[in-house]
Amino acid sequence: MLRGDYFFKEITYQSPLYPFFLLSFFKMFGQNLMAARLMQAILDAMVCVLIFALAARLSLRKSFCWLGALIYAFYGIAIFYTGLIIDTTLSIFLYTVFIFLLERTYSQHKSMLWFLTGCFAALAILTKPFLILFVLFFAIGHLGQRQDPSLRQRLKNLFMLCLGLLMILAPLSLRHYQINKTLSPLQAYGGFRFFRANHPGAGGGYSSVPGLPDAPILEIQSAIHEAERVTGKKMDAGSVSRFWFQKSFEFISKQPDAFLKGLASKVFLFWNWREVGDNIDYAFNKSFASLLQLPLFSFGMIAPFGLLGCYFALLKRSPSIRLMVCFLVCYMTAVVLFDVTDRFRLPCVPLIIILGVFSIGEFLIAFRSHHLRKVIVAMAILGLSLLFVHQQTIPGKVILSQSYEGNIHYNLGIVYESQKRFSEALQEYQKASVLAPEHLPARHRLAGLYENTGEFKKAYEEYQKLLVWDAGNADIYNRLGMLFLKMGKPDDAISFFHQAILLKQDFAVAYHNLGVTYAAKKQFENAMAAYRKAIELDPLFNLPRQNLVGLYQQSGQSEKASDELRQAALKSSM
């Protein structure tokens, strides 16, 4: 998009909206991530204002409105995500704006407000699609209510709401239809995401699929390859998604008890104090930020009061507060059908805070009015909620897989390596490999780092372990060839390069490395043949052409050297 290609053909498997959010700042300030982070900080501050305004709409005293706003202002994990280039803060803001608009719109019949609410609902859906379930239930409930307004007015309201939704979603739907013949405006491969959360080995939180890597990009690529391998045909994004949905439904139909137990464990996890990440771990990362080590507010503090607020909402005949509880139930239901992670839970946190301060206000009213029964019941519910939220063991499977923990250390190792802190990077890659032996990217990094620091024996051992997990990977044999070339064993290197080429016959890099090895052995004819093959496979690959020119000049074949230079100039000008 920065190059002006707004209709790129690639399928988006992350939030469709967030790239446009980033684009707006990159166009104004250049590719400066700090501008985007500052805007996210502003959006997060505006969430505090919206919480204050929503609490005021519930007729809470101003002190409780301020309390709600301050709780979110010092909510640790929200501060953490504000600084990351990820759609979480934008999602929280859009969901809160939607609730704010809907609460105002519900009691009024202004067409523009309904249209605007629909627009923000669509924007929120494009960050996290969990809102869809609530919108459906709300539309059915609004249409079926027996009180005012009239049926005609209700139909008009819903028409304007849908018009707002279509205004935002239709362009993306048309784009996706052009690419993969699906009208869904959402991120692609939703079927795989559903299967990842609903298969025989799934846990409550983020869990990888057995046999597939859990690195974000590799995971999707492997899911596509697996679907195509099983079906034996090339598949578009929609077909891949349907393939994985079908596998999920087969699991649900064959093991309904396991599916229901999984849902129950995810409901427990949704309300649990833990902040369960996917490939970003808040508890691990906050140890590197002094601000986040302060005694900030957490989910374990607000959730019990939010649950108590749901109880008081049932007693109060207020459409606004019941609307919020309905939203919370629908949102939770949608989330537990997929993975329960901290990023997925965060958009409903402002609402839980509002319900929490509402419960404090209602409890104080009951206490001052000497409603002893209501006070006792409220204290009992709060006590049970505290036990429920702060339980240490969750029914069902283990929350954090070893693969997940391994990925945390793998990511930290990449950071250390980029800072040239190689000994610390090695330690993190080693931890990742011990925790998750199947974490191939960590093993690749570990082997490469051993190689680059001169520990060739350890590098060879790691490459051998990689072959156990991924015997058909031509790149591993290519890297083994380079390792043995560095070790001064060209014959072994040639053997590994040939093995790489056998596995991947169009492997231009392996042919080039083979040429380098032959040249090191003074076998110049073999080296030139390998370089020519590399150029044939990849005409834009400059290194083999440069080396070939050097050999031609060295052997007195100046005419051939000139011809290769002309070919290089021609290719670069195309």
Side-chain angles (χ1 to χ4, degrees):
M1 288 192 293
L2 284 168
R3 293 192 299 266
D5 182 11
Y6 299 103
F7 301 98
F8 54 92
K9 297 299 182 183
E10 288 85 358
I11 295 295
T12 56
Y13 55 86
Q14 296 288 352
S15 164
L17 182 65
Y18 196 63
F20 292 95
F21 174 79
L22 290 178
L23 179 68
S24 62
F25 295 100
F26 288 174
K27 285 289 187 181
M28 289 187 289
F29 304 107
Q31 295 186 41
N32 183 355
L33 296 178
M34 184 54 69
R37 290 188 174 102
L38 287 172
M39 187 63 211
Q40 288 181 176
I42 292 170
L43 293 181
D44 224 29
M46 291 174 69
V47 172
C48 298
V49 177
L50 289 167
I51 289 173
F52 183 96
L54 275 166
R57 294 283 297 178
L58 298 178
S59 302
L60 293 179
R61 289 168 53 186
K62 189 169 287 189
S63 57
F64 291 118
C65 300
W66 277 112
L67 177 61
L70 287 171
I71 288 172
Y72 186 79
F74 292 94
Y75 193 70
I77 194 168
I79 297 171
F80 170 69
Y81 274 109
T82 300
L84 300 185
I85 301 302
I86 198 167
D87 68 349
T88 305
T89 298
L90 179 63
S91 182
I92 297 168
F93 171 74
L94 290 173
Y95 267 81
T96 311
V97 171
F98 167 74
I99 290 295
F100 175 76
L101 287 173
L102 186 64
E103 193 280 329
R104 293 179 67 88
T105 305
Y106 189 66
S107 58
Q108 302 180 38
H109 308 298
K110 296 179 180 178
S111 297
M112 188 51 65
L113 267 179
W114 282 92
F115 174 77
L116 192 61
T117 303
C119 290
F120 272 93
L123 291 171
I125 286 169
L126 291 176
T127 60
K128 298 282 185 296
F130 305 121
L131 185 59
I132 294 173
L133 183 63
F134 172 73
V135 171
L136 290 173
F137 270 90
F138 173 79
I140 294 169
H142 186 61
L143 193 61
Q145 72 181 58
R146 297 180 180 179
Q147 301 173 352
D148 289 336
S150 64
L151 178 60
R152 181 179 178 181
Q153 182 63 52
R154 279 177 272 149
L155 288 170
K156 183 181 177 182
N157 294 343
L158 292 178
F159 173 77
M160 294 305 295
L161 182 74
C162 292
L163 191 63
L165 284 162
L166 286 172
M167 179 69 72
I168 303 298
L169 298 179
L172 276 171
S173 294
L174 293 173
R175 176 186 178 276
H176 287 183
Y177 184 77
Q178 283 185 328
I179 297 172
N180 63 2
K181 304 303 178 186
T182 177
L183 284 171
S184 171
L186 308 177
Q187 57 259 59
Y189 311 114
F192 176 70
R193 297 169 192 273
F194 186 74
F195 178 79
R196 190 177 62 195
N198 299 283
H199 67 273
Y206 180 90
S207 58
S208 58
V209 176
L212 299 183
D214 64 353
I217 297 175
L218 288 175
E219 181 184 53
I220 295 294
Q221 292 172 342
S222 300
I224 297 168
H225 294 155
E226 177 65 12
E228 291 177 341
R229 184 192 67 80
V230 172
T231 59
K233 61 182 180 181
K234 198 73 175 174
M235 302 174 75
D236 58 28
S239 300
V240 171
S241 191
R242 287 189 291 274
F243 169 85
W244 289 106
F245 267 127
Q246 185 177 353
K247 286 182 70 70
S248 294
F249 295 144
E250 287 173 3
F251 159 68
I252 293 169
S253 62
K254 291 177 182 178
Q255 302 182 48
D257 55 336
F259 170 68
L260 291 174
K261 286 179 182 177
L263 286 183
S265 69
K266 285 189 279 188
V267 170
F268 276 85
L269 186 55
F270 184 90
W271 288 103
N272 194 258
W273 63 273
R274 294 173 175 85
E275 298 290 3
V276 179
D278 39 22
N279 59 344
I280 300 172
D281 185 74
Y282 171 64
F284 181 82
N285 283 282
K286 74 176 185 178
S287 62
F288 296 90
S290 55
L291 172 65
L292 297 177
Q293 294 173 37
L294 296 174
L296 302 171
F297 287 100
S298 64
F299 191 80
M301 296 179 183
I302 66 167
F305 292 96
L307 288 168
L308 180 59
C310 293
Y311 161 71
F312 279 119
L314 295 176
L315 301 179
K316 199 174 183 70
R317 294 180 178 274
S318 168
S320 295
I321 193 66
R322 290 189 175 184
L323 185 71
M324 293 181 188
V325 173
C326 179
F327 171 85
L328 184 58
V329 171
C330 288
Y331 187 88
M332 179 190 70
T333 303
V335 169
V336 299
L337 288 172
F338 292 84
D339 300 315
V340 177
T341 66
D342 51 15
R343 290 196 297 121
F344 290 172
R345 187 170 65 181
L346 268 169
C348 69
V349 161
L351 207 57
I352 294 173
I353 290 173
I354 292 167
L355 287 169
V357 295
F358 168 74
S359 72
I360 296 171
E362 290 296 305
F363 179 84
L364 290 176
I365 291 171
F367 182 79
R368 289 166 182 166
S369 302
H370 304 292
H371 288 168
L372 187 58
R373 182 179 176 182
K374 186 185 286 188
V375 169
I376 292 172
V377 171
M379 290 179 68
I381 291 173
L382 182 60
L384 291 172
S385 297
L386 283 165
L387 292 174
F388 176 65
V389 169
H390 288 276
Q391 59 184 318
Q392 297 300 314
T393 57
I394 304 296
K397 298 183 180 293
V398 177
I399 296 172
L400 296 179
S401 67
Q402 289 183 323
S403 179
Y404 167 82
E405 291 182 329
N407 205 49
I408 294 169
H409 292 284
Y410 167 68
N411 289 333
L412 182 57
I414 292 174
V415 174
Y416 283 144
E417 190 174 356
S418 69
Q419 297 175 347
K420 302 190 184 306
R421 297 161 65 178
F422 298 124
S423 61
E424 291 163 291
L426 275 173
Q427 290 176 9
E428 296 304 323
Y429 293 145
Q430 287 166 348
K431 289 176 184 176
S433 300
V434 169
L435 286 167
E438 78 288 356
H439 199 301
L440 302 187
R443 290 197 176 278
H444 273 285
R445 288 272 186 173
L446 183 58
L449 198 50
Y450 278 139
E451 182 180 341
N452 294 335
T453 54
E455 297 189 64
F456 297 139
K457 183 179 179 181
K458 289 182 178 179
Y460 175 70
E461 291 172 355
E462 285 303 322
Y463 284 130
Q464 289 298 312
K465 291 174 185 176
L466 276 168
L467 286 175
V468 172
W469 289 95
D470 197 6
N473 191 326
D475 185 59
I476 298 173
Y477 287 99
N478 178 61
R479 292 176 68 174
L480 276 166
M482 292 303 298
L483 175 66
F484 275 83
L485 183 60
K486 290 178 181 178
M487 292 168 66
K489 299 180 179 180
D491 291 331
D492 292 321
I494 289 169
S495 176
F496 283 121
F497 289 135
H498 278 299
Q499 184 64 38
I501 292 166
L502 186 66
L503 289 169
K504 187 180 178 182
Q505 295 180 2
D506 61 347
F507 202 170
V509 173
Y511 273 108
H512 168 258
N513 293 336
L514 182 62
V516 171
T517 310
Y518 278 131
K521 291 190 68 179
K522 310 297 184 183
Q523 297 180 14
F524 298 123
E525 289 298 323
N526 288 338
M528 287 189 281
Y531 288 145
R532 282 193 290 267
K533 186 64 177 178
I535 294 166
E536 176 190 331
L537 291 170
D538 187 357
L540 297 178
F541 189 12
N542 288 325
L543 278 177
R545 195 181 299 276
Q546 291 171 3
N547 290 336
L548 182 59
V549 168
L551 286 181
Y552 281 146
Q553 291 173 339
Q554 184 179 333
S555 60
Q557 303 179 59
S558 56
E559 187 175 336
K560 288 185 177 181
S562 299
D563 185 56
E564 283 297 331
L565 289 172
R566 282 195 295 272
Q567 290 290 329
L570 181 63
K571 293 293 181 184
S572 63
S573 64
M574 291 178 63

